[in-house]
Amino acid sequence: MEEDVYRTPKSELSSQEKPRGSAVRAILIATVVDITATVFIGVAISIVYGMILASNGDSIEVITTKLSHMELTSKVSLVAVVSGCLITTYAGYLCAKLVNHSEYRVVAVLAFIVVVFGFFMGQSYYSMSENLILSLLSLGCVYLGAWLYVSNKNRSRAGEKE
């Protein structure tokens, strides 16, 4: 059967835009994800490094000393820092995605929490200058994640308009 030529055409006008989220919820979830994943990865890296040291014949005292007095520029520390940066970048992305409005303002609160938490946790392990560098790195990673989400959202909007 043919369509009625006198009827207006039907079209899909469903909006692809996601609803605005709660800023508090986005910050809480992203903070929990960042801190939990960072601690988990840190523990996993420490266990693997401890097992490597044990397989080389080091005693438990030597392993404990090496784990607690690790240089920031050592291979193991760099793996931990890169892993932490990836996690923090994802947390910034997640926070921006969950809030879906005023992304940079909301992510600023997340960045503050992450930097303060990292600073206090690293106080006993790192010097003041190393702690400052790691704090700036965390800040950059959080905003990188937010930027990735916002730029992706803007590209999607531009694609819909075409």
Side-chain angles (χ1 to χ4, degrees), residues 115-124 131:
V115 166
V116 167
F117 183 80
F119 187 81
F120 284 119
M121 292 301 291
Q123 236 175 352
S124 60
N131 228 345

Side-chain angles (χ1 to χ4, degrees), residues 10 37 69 77 110 139 153 156:
K10 294 180 181 178
H69 299 295
S77 283
L110 172 68
L139 184 67
K153 183 170 97 169
S156 296

Side-chain angles (χ1 to χ4, degrees), residues 67-151:
L67 283 172
S68 60
H69 299 295
M70 200 178 316
E71 290 290 321
L72 185 61
T73 56
S74 71
K75 292 177 185 177
V76 176
S77 283
L78 292 177
V79 168
V81 168
V82 169
S83 301
C85 285
L86 291 173
I87 291 166
T88 303
T89 302
Y90 175 72
Y93 181 91
L94 180 64
C95 184
K97 182 178 180 179
L98 291 173
V99 76
N100 201 30
H101 67 90
S102 307
E103 288 91 350
Y104 293 115
R105 246 187 319 144
V106 174
V107 167
V109 177
L110 172 68
F112 176 77
I113 293 169
V114 167
V115 166
V116 167
F117 183 80
F119 187 81
F120 284 119
M121 292 301 291
Q123 236 175 352
S124 60
Y125 296 108
Y126 303 113
S127 68
M128 187 60 127
S129 60
E130 290 173 334
N131 228 345
L132 181 62
I133 290 168
L134 291 173
S135 295
L136 291 173
L137 192 58
S138 295
L139 184 67
C141 289
V142 170
Y143 276 107
L144 173 63
W147 177 81
L148 288 171
Y149 174 75
V150 170
S151 63

Side-chain angles (χ1 to χ4, degrees), residues 28-63:
L28 285 175
I29 290 173
T31 300
V32 168
V33 165
D34 185 32
I35 292 172
T36 305
T38 302
V39 168
F40 177 77
I41 290 296
V43 168
I45 289 171
S46 296
I47 290 171
V48 169
Y49 184 53
M51 290 172 58
I52 291 170
L53 291 174
S55 70
N56 290 338
D58 290 343
S59 68
I60 191 74
E61 292 83 21
V62 172
I63 294 171

